Amino acid sequence: MEIKKKVQYFLAIFLTGIYLIWRIFFTIPWTASFFTLLFALLLVTSELLSSLTAFLLIIFRLMRDKSDKKIEEPKLALNDPVPSIDVIIVTHNEEVELLRKTVNASKFMEYPDPKLVNIVIADDGNRPEVKALADEYKVQYIGMEDNKDAKAGNINNALRQLHSTLLTVFDADMIPFSNYLMASVPYFTKNFTDLKNDPDNTDPLGFVQTPQSFYNADIFQFNLFLENSVVNEQDYFSRDINVLNGANGHALFTGSNAVFLRESVDNVGLFPTDTITEDFELGTRINSAGYISLATEVVVSSGITPVDIKSVIKQRVRWARGVIRSCKNMHIFTNPKITFLNRIILINTWLYWWSFFRRLIFIIAPILYALFHIQVVNADFWLLMIFWAPGYFFLHRVLGDTSTNIRNERWGEIQETFFAPYIFLPVILETIGIRAKKFKVTDKKVNFSWKDKLYSIPYLILWGLTLVSIIVFNYGKWGSEILYGSVITFWLLMHFINLSFCVFISMKRNIHRKSERFMRKANGKIKYNGEWISFRTRDVSDAGLSMELRTEGPSPVLERGQKIEGILYHKSYQIHFDGLVMRASGQGSEKWYGLLNEIKDKEDRNHYLELIYDGQNKFVAAEQDNWLTTLDELNLNIIFHLKEFERIVMKKFSKNGR
């Protein structure tokens, strides 16, 4: 790293440290009322913890850069000896057609010796239709009579009947790519070799966590019309933070698409059942037992993420409560089996779920001063500029410099603000021992109702209070008054922008497609007037495809409603389908057609599903568009919603005019 950057990083931490010392010893209103003092202490504590997490992120990035521990994927030839592996697909009450995609994809996974891959459907509902699905694909079925111990109990029930060297777990909707095993198992074969050749300097590998990836836009991408410019919110942890954890040998298990050494799972007593986040706790137990864990960057599976606000918030509340409980179970602050570095990672994970409480404190503090003249920071403006401003701007410059192309700091604040009103209370309750009585598996189906609109109430209240605060605080001020109040105004404006995004996120956006489109370029041919004409797909989905005809001369014109017979090539296989032309767009060489497909043969259908789901969905952004600023994104949403409002009004007037 160049000296200039090192100096900046040092100054960021040093100046922020100076500011925090000043804040603690010279700005707390000790003689104020109980409420003011309490809020002042909460605010300074929030600042301390926020700075601590920022310091840890910077230090972890520096450690990785210095040690050059970027994980390189070991290669495995198809003729190399490999261990046996159990592929466990866990299902509770998911639809069979959703489960079919995961089972089908598992059958297409490449491996040097396919006989060593045992695919298992673990069904805790003993459903006949799921057993029939297992029989159709000739995979093992393990059912349960009841839902005892939830997902962990279902997996444990299957493990007691399985004995392969490795195991991997998939949620019902998490579809593996064909290279999944070839991209994950080699870490173990390399570790086996290293343990044999140099046992004194090699730690056994407990598990490899591949990224959690999703083929549909999440609630942030979809509701903000930013599918092409903003990355899925969960990618930040999976493809960035957890990779940093893995660079230090302590990646966290995130519930699906991870490969385990079976021995490591057995040594910690299988999956823990006294928590609702058995994934997080299992990974921690394995690390505490002396195994290392890695997290990879390359996406080798993809699932579906909920897009209705109710399901998203319930999912995060479950994760928050589960991690807090698991941290208690593991005694992360005092457990002597947890190494220092792993303890730091676990504490940082624990602190993450408190960031939502901190975010509310940060939002409310300037409102209290602007509207109610409650001063929770006792400081002169110029002293504040001397102690706060340099550290703040250096720290955020460094955080921006160390951020990846997955998510910037600004988007982190927006996402924290969105979850804050609904997560802070469950975290507090779980911490003091008040547990939720019942949790449900996250429903991945889109279930909008009028009740979803109620979720926008906290954002509208905070947004309104912030707007009023900006107006009231600055009304009638001139000259130096504006300068002295600039810090309060600055924070109010920052929170106002974040809350504006939250209001837009909470506004339902209509979903017009029943299935996701995937950008796939595949060749095929259709029968037209007794002759076969070549085409190339633009995109494909469960229901159909769009295609461009490829002819040497003038292309034939297909009419809407026309039925056609076609063949689509998938690797060396021919997929036969019957198509119905639903759409014709473009002109000349740019003309393309949208088809509805009907595939009658089961083997053809399986290959078609593999064509769709074997790879990431490039219609959803994998990197953040840094050319699009936060204000650009906000302006985009204002324009979209104004157009929607105009459309509704015009439609209403046109009806009244008839």
Side-chain angles (χ1 to χ4, degrees):
M1 182 183 295
E2 58 188 68
I3 296 177
K4 182 180 178 181
K5 283 190 175 181
K6 287 183 178 180
V7 171
Q8 288 181 355
Y9 288 14
F10 170 78
L11 284 175
I13 296 176
F14 176 76
L15 292 174
T16 303
I18 294 295
Y19 162 72
L20 292 173
I21 293 172
W22 175 72
R23 272 285 284 123
I24 294 170
F25 290 101
F26 299 99
T27 66
I28 298 175
W30 295 106
T31 58
S33 66
F34 174 78
F35 172 80
T36 302
L37 178 59
L38 176 63
F39 201 91
L41 292 174
L42 288 174
L43 179 60
V44 74
T45 302
S46 298
E47 290 184 66
L48 280 168
L49 295 178
S50 182
S51 298
L52 175 62
T53 55
F55 293 166
L56 289 175
L57 179 59
I58 293 171
I59 291 169
F60 275 12
R61 293 203 192 283
L62 287 173
M63 288 172 61
R64 190 184 184 203
D65 291 341
K66 184 177 180 180
S67 61
D68 194 26
K69 282 188 176 180
K70 186 173 181 179
I71 300 173
E72 295 184 2
E73 181 183 324
K75 301 300 179 184
L76 182 68
L78 286 175
N79 57 356
D80 285 349
V82 289
S84 58
I85 182 167
D86 290 313
V87 178
I88 305 173
I89 302 169
V90 187
T91 179
H92 173 53
N93 59 1
E94 295 84 1
E95 293 180 352
V96 171
E97 289 309 306
L98 177 65
L99 185 60
R100 176 186 297 278
K101 299 172 186 178
T102 304
V103 177
N104 181 70
S106 299
K107 293 287 288 186
F108 279 94
M109 290 191 298
E110 300 167 352
Y111 205 58
D113 188 351
K115 294 179 181 178
L116 294 176
V117 180
N118 179 38
I119 300 171
V120 182
I121 300 178
D123 176 25
D124 65 4
N126 255 355
R127 292 176 288 168
E129 61 271 27
V130 177
K131 175 65 167 62
L133 182 71
D135 292 340
E136 177 185 336
Y137 282 92
K138 296 180 175 56
V139 301
Q140 186 175 356
Y141 176 82
I142 299 178
M144 289 182 67
E145 290 297 330
D146 54 33
N147 185 223
K148 185 178 180 181
D149 294 328
K151 180 180 176 180
N154 191 9
I155 298 173
N156 289 342
N157 178 62
L159 287 178
R160 293 185 186 101
Q161 303 173 57
L162 302 171
H163 308 284
S164 294
T165 304
L166 304 178
L167 69 95
T168 186
V169 177
F170 289 115
D171 287 339
D173 66 292
M174 188 60 67
I175 303 171
F177 303 162
S178 58
N179 66 335
Y180 176 82
L181 295 178
M182 299 298 289
S184 52
V185 172
Y187 290 99
F188 290 92
T189 57
K190 182 179 183 300
N191 186 249
F192 295 159
T193 302
D194 292 342
L195 283 169
K196 182 178 179 181
N197 296 336
D198 189 10
D200 294 333
N201 297 303
T202 305
D203 294 316
L205 177 60
F207 67 92
V208 173
Q209 175 67 64
T210 67
Q212 296 275 45
S213 177
F214 302 92
Y215 57 77
N216 65 318
D218 69 7
I219 195 170
F220 299 98
Q221 296 169 303
F222 186 76
N223 283 4
L224 294 175
F225 306 90
L226 296 173
E227 297 99 319
N228 298 322
S229 54
V230 172
V231 179
N232 186 292
E233 179 255 341
Q234 294 186 52
D235 277 26
Y236 176 63
F237 178 79
S238 288
R239 292 170 47 211
D240 188 358
I241 299 301
N242 209 28
V243 174
L244 291 176
N245 295 339
N248 295 297
H250 298 95
L252 302 180
F253 174 36
T254 54
S256 183
N257 49 290
V259 180
F260 290 85
L261 180 67
R262 174 61 191 264
E263 170 197 296
S264 70
V265 178
D266 288 341
N267 285 347
V268 298
L270 303 182
F271 279 62
T273 56
D274 188 28
T275 177
I276 50 178
T277 49
E278 68 289 323
D279 46 7
F280 171 75
E281 187 165 330
L282 175 68
T284 302
R285 289 185 179 187
I286 288 174
N287 286 146
S288 300
Y291 297 90
I292 62 169
S293 55
L294 305 175
T296 59
E297 296 181 68
V298 179
V299 175
V300 289
S301 61
S302 191
I304 186 169
T305 187
V307 293
D308 60 297
I309 189 169
K310 177 182 178 181
S311 296
V312 172
I313 288 175
K314 284 189 173 183
Q315 180 189 65
R316 299 314 162 86
V317 168
R318 177 167 57 86
W319 292 354
R321 281 184 172 272
V323 170
I324 296 297
R325 187 185 304 178
S326 290
C327 286
K328 278 186 175 183
N329 293 344
M330 291 298 300
H331 306 288
I332 63 169
F333 292 95
T334 59
N335 190 338
K337 294 182 179 179
I338 299 176
T339 64
F340 173 77
L341 195 56
N342 194 21
R343 195 185 309 277
I344 295 299
I345 291 172
L346 294 174
I347 292 174
N348 195 37
T349 304
W350 180 80
L351 287 174
Y352 166 76
W353 293 105
W354 283 96
S355 64
F356 305 102
F357 181 70
R358 301 199 306 266
R359 184 58 50 192
L360 282 181
I361 297 295
F362 290 149
I363 292 171
I364 294 171
I367 293 175
L368 289 177
Y369 185 78
L371 289 185
F372 307 106
H373 308 292
I374 297 175
Q375 187 172 354
V376 294
V377 179
N378 187 14
D380 174 78
F381 172 77
W382 293 111
L383 284 176
L384 189 63
M385 288 297 98
I386 291 171
F387 286 103
W388 167 74
Y392 174 82
F393 288 106
F394 261 108
L395 183 62
H396 288 269
R397 178 181 175 83
V398 167
L399 288 174
D401 183 63
T402 59
S403 63
T404 65
N405 56 4
I406 297 175
R407 190 188 81 176
N408 58 35
E409 185 187 5
R410 185 67 175 166
W411 263 101
E413 291 181 4
I414 293 169
Q415 289 160 353
E416 283 184 9
T417 304
F418 177 76
F419 288 120
Y422 294 100
I423 289 184
F424 85 96
L425 186 57
V427 167
I428 293 174
L429 293 175
E430 195 69 39
T431 300
I432 62 177
I434 301 176
R435 296 185 174 185
K437 295 181 179 179
K438 188 177 181 181
F439 283 93
K440 293 183 178 180
V441 175
T442 304
D443 191 352
K444 302 298 176 68
K445 294 184 293 184
V446 180
N447 294 304
F448 292 120
S449 72
W450 65 269
K451 294 180 181 179
D452 290 347
K453 295 181 180 180
L454 300 178
Y455 283 94
S456 64
I457 292 175
Y459 311 121
L460 290 171
I461 292 173
L462 291 172
W463 184 87
L465 286 173
T466 305
L467 178 60
V468 171
S469 298
I470 293 171
I471 296 171
V472 170
F473 185 69
N474 289 281
Y475 181 76
K477 285 187 169 63
W478 299 95
S480 59
E481 288 181 310
I482 295 176
L483 175 65
Y484 293 141
S486 60
V487 174
I488 296 296
T489 303
F490 170 78
W491 285 117
L492 287 172
L493 286 172
M494 292 299 100
H495 298 319
F496 180 76
I497 292 172
N498 294 345
L499 288 164
S500 297
F501 275 105
C502 291
V503 171
F504 285 133
I505 294 166
S506 66
M507 297 172 68
K508 180 179 75 71
R509 177 183 169 190
N510 292 327
I511 298 176
H512 300 290
R513 296 185 63 89
K514 292 183 179 180
S515 56
E516 295 294 325
R517 293 182 303 141
F518 292 75
M519 193 182 298
R520 298 284 185 261
K521 304 298 181 183
N523 296 319
K525 58 184 180 180
I526 61 170
K527 203 168 189 178
Y528 182 81
N529 289 338
E531 296 184 2
W532 289 99
I533 300 172
S534 298
F535 71 83
R536 187 170 177 83
T537 61
R538 300 168 79 248
D539 59 69
V540 296
S541 71
D542 287 1
L545 57 85
S546 67
M547 66 176 185
E548 297 170 344
L549 298 180
R550 296 195 160 193
T551 58
E552 294 183 0
S555 296
V557 177
L558 304 180
E559 301 295 335
R560 184 173 180 179
Q562 183 175 349
K563 295 181 179 180
I564 59 173
E565 176 187 349
I567 294 175
L568 190 61
Y569 300 112
H570 175 232
K571 298 177 181 177
S572 59
Y573 189 86
Q574 295 184 4
I575 303 169
H576 295 79
F577 68 90
D578 294 322
L580 179 66
V581 179
M582 299 297 294
R583 184 178 181 186
S585 299
Q587 298 292 332
S589 61
E590 300 295 325
K591 195 171 186 65
W592 59 272
Y593 299 92
L595 307 181
L596 279 179
N597 292 345
E598 182 183 1
I599 301 176
K600 299 175 181 177
D601 182 79
K602 287 185 178 180
E603 190 65 20
D604 286 349
R605 182 65 181 173
N606 290 342
H607 277 271
Y608 184 66
L609 288 175
E610 177 64 5
L611 170 64
I612 298 173
Y613 293 101
D614 188 17
Q616 287 182 271
N617 188 355
K618 294 183 180 179
F619 283 121
V620 182
E623 295 183 358
Q624 183 152 341
D625 183 357
N626 292 320
W627 290 101
L628 198 64
T629 68
T630 305
L631 293 179
D632 291 331
E633 294 161 344
L634 188 60
N635 180 60
L636 177 71
N637 275 269
I638 293 172
I639 292 172
F640 272 128
H641 285 285
L642 284 176
K643 286 183 177 178
E644 180 66 14
F645 178 74
E646 180 185 15
R647 187 189 65 80
I648 294 172
V649 171
M650 294 302 293
K651 186 176 180 180
K652 184 176 181 180
F653 273 108
S654 65
K655 285 183 177 180
N656 293 336
R658 281 202 298 266

